[in-house]
Amino acid sequence: MPSAEWNGVVIAETDSFETVEGNIYFPASSIKKEYFTETPTHTVCGWKGTASYYTISVNGKENKDAAWYYPEPKDAAKNIKGYVAFWKGVTVKP
């Protein structure tokens, strides 16, 4: 079962996921929302669309923009709508 961990805490875990460009995307329902805060950051991918970000806060430490998602992905990426992926030191175990 894939899981995501940061600062010693599992912040997401799921049996159901999508893999895109080597990244495991977790359903939004599988993240532990108490650790996530939306940020104003946005980036654009030519084929996926506009990404939004979360800062992850665990045990008094913050990891800015360490999780991203596509609220309205382009048609080619519609399989990841409602899914969240990680980077910036978040350990994702398949």
Side-chain angles (χ1 to χ4, degrees), residues 2 16-17 30 36 47-48 55-56 66-69 73-74 91:
S16 172
F17 59 93
S30 73
F36 293 77
W47 73 272
K48 290 183 292 235
T55 289
I56 299 169
W68 76 91
Y69 63 100
K74 292 184 175 185
T91 303

Side-chain angles (χ1 to χ4, degrees), residues 55-72:
T55 289
I56 299 169
S57 302
V58 175
N59 295 328
K61 293 188 179 181
E62 286 193 351
N63 193 345
K64 184 172 173 16
D65 297 333
W68 76 91
Y69 63 100
Y70 292 88
E72 295 297 330

Side-chain angles (χ1 to χ4, degrees), residues 14-32:
T14 187
D15 287 331
S16 172
F17 59 93
E18 295 286 336
T19 303
V20 176
E21 296 180 325
N23 293 304
I24 294 176
Y25 282 76
F26 292 73
S29 61
S30 73
I31 69 171
K32 297 182 179 178

